[in-house]
Amino acid sequence: MAVTLPAVVEELLSEMAAAVRETARIPDEHLSSLKFIFGSSAIQALDLVDRQSITLISSPSGRHIYQVLGSSGKTYTCLASCHYCSCPAFAFSVLRKSESLLYWRLNPEVLTTELHSQPFLR
C-alpha cells in the first residue's frame, strides 16, 4: 500500500491534536516533522495559532469561515468549504503556482480546525 503526502499530513495533524489534548503542547518531533514537510511556512502558520490570530465564525446554517489577523495587521477571510483564502500567500502559492495541497493543509485555519478544541484558540 502506497503512502501519500496527504495521508502523512492527516496523521501528523491528528497526532498533534491528540498530544495537545493530553499535554497542552505540541511535541518537538511533531514540530520538526511539520518544518521538514512544509518548510518555513510551518513556523509562520503556527505563529498565527500561538498569537491567537484565528477566529472561527459560524452561521446558524452551520457554515464556517475563518478570519485570520495577519502579521501585517490585515484581516483575511478563509473559506474552508471551497478551499479559498484572501491572503497573498494563497494567491501566490495556490492560484499562481498550483501548490494547493501543501498550502491548504498547513494553512493556519486548517491547523485551527485540527486543534479547535484547545483552550489557546479563541
Side-chain angles (χ1 to χ4, degrees):
M1 180 171 123
V3 177
T4 63
L5 183 57
V8 170
V9 172
E10 291 294 328
E11 181 64 24
L12 177 59
L13 291 174
S14 177
E15 288 178 11
M16 285 174 54
V20 170
R21 280 191 298 275
E22 293 172 16
T23 66
R25 64 180 299 275
I26 299 172
D28 289 343
E29 61 268 15
H30 291 146
L31 294 174
S32 295
S33 297
L34 280 177
K35 189 170 181 188
F36 178 78
I37 294 169
F38 296 105
S40 64
S41 49
I43 306 303
Q44 296 164 352
L46 290 170
D47 183 54
L48 289 170
V49 172
D50 283 346
R51 289 188 289 127
Q52 298 182 351
S53 297
I54 304 161
T55 303
L56 171 63
I57 300 172
S58 300
S59 73
S61 67
R63 293 183 183 204
H64 305 289
I65 65 166
Y66 296 91
Q67 286 189 327
V68 178
L69 180 62
S71 57
S72 67
K74 185 172 180 179
T75 301
Y76 301 101
T77 300
C78 300
L79 308 170
S81 62
C82 64
H83 300 285
Y84 174 79
C85 183
S86 63
C87 72
F90 182 84
F92 181 75
S93 296
V94 178
L95 300 178
R96 295 184 96 199
K97 292 178 68 180
S98 298
E99 296 175 355
S100 60
L101 171 68
L102 293 182
Y103 173 86
W104 195 255
R105 289 311 311 154
L106 191 62
N107 195 303
E109 342 32 89
V110 176
L111 285 175
T112 300
T113 300
E114 299 291 337
L115 304 173
H116 74 280
S117 63
Q118 307 317 311
F120 55 83
L121 299 176
R122 36 180 174 152

